[in-house]
Amino acid sequence: VKLEEQIVPMRHPAEHITYDALLQHLYGIMKLYHNQLADTKTTHVRKAIAYIEERIGHEIGLQQVAEHVHLHPNHLSELFKKETGMKFVDFLAQKKMERAMDILRISPAKISDVAAMVGYEDVKYFGQLFKKHTGKTPSEFREEGMDRRKQL
């Protein structure tokens, strides 16, 4: 619904409007505007998250995502922290690690291939990040998953 459609016209003839009534009406319009603006910002973060999830296997960064949602990178970064409680780079790394975990659970792909699938060319760096996020190396994570499946 457009902002213009939400604004209720004042019911009094112009000569009978008090200063307080006018201020109250303007305050209501400002409140509608700010609520709509807040909804738009949330939409930007949602769009950014969707873009990250669809492009997780590619080279992706704050600048690229900000361009996609038509915001300045610093502004997107602030909105991202406010909406998700996480820094953009931490969120991106977490999403990549979650995707890597999913792949490791179901695929016999080489660790280097898994790293590439989530956007890391350096396998050693990928392994360090994976261990930081999960407490296990990618191989240990995969082996644990296979052990669990054997027990079932």
Side-chain angles (χ1 to χ4, degrees):
V1 179
K2 292 183 179 181
L3 181 63
E4 298 85 22
E5 295 169 0
Q6 294 180 32
I7 298 172
V8 178
M10 295 192 76
R11 296 186 180 116
H12 306 288
E15 65 268 4
H16 296 346
I17 297 174
T18 65
Y19 179 74
D20 287 341
L22 180 60
L23 284 179
Q24 201 167 18
H25 187 71
L26 289 174
Y27 175 75
I29 293 170
M30 283 179 24
K31 193 171 179 181
L32 282 171
Y33 173 76
H34 286 289
N35 287 342
Q36 189 173 31
L37 187 62
D39 290 344
T40 302
K41 289 178 183 177
T42 301
T43 301
H44 286 308
V45 173
R46 285 189 199 134
K47 284 180 186 175
I49 290 170
Y51 184 73
I52 289 167
E53 289 175 346
E54 91 182 24
R55 309 249 332 136
I56 204 83
H58 300 88
E59 191 69 31
I60 190 169
L62 178 60
Q63 181 73 35
Q64 183 182 358
V65 176
E67 286 174 12
H68 179 74
V69 297
H70 309 290
L71 291 177
H72 189 278
N74 292 345
H75 188 55
L76 176 60
S77 184
E78 289 172 17
L79 289 176
F80 217 88
K81 174 76 173 169
K82 186 176 178 180
E83 296 290 326
T84 67
M86 297 177 76
K87 293 180 185 175
F88 177 86
V89 292
D90 294 337
F91 181 87
L92 181 58
Q94 179 180 317
K95 285 296 175 189
K96 288 183 174 195
M97 293 304 113
E98 288 172 1
R99 179 71 58 86
M101 290 164 56
D102 291 342
I103 295 168
L104 289 167
R105 282 185 191 106
I106 62 169
S107 170
K110 294 179 186 177
I111 302 302
S112 59
D113 292 340
V114 174
M117 286 182 213
V118 295
Y120 292 102
E121 292 180 28
D122 185 343
V123 183
K124 187 175 180 181
Y125 180 64
F126 166 73
Q128 291 169 343
L129 283 178
F130 192 89
K131 186 163 186 163
K132 179 182 173 188
H133 278 80
T134 65
K136 300 172 182 76
T137 66
S139 298
E140 291 169 344
F141 183 85
R142 175 180 276 157
E143 287 172 23
E144 250 184 42
M146 282 194 251
D147 290 344
R148 282 192 195 131
R149 283 192 294 266
K150 286 178 186 175
Q151 292 173 358
L152 297 176

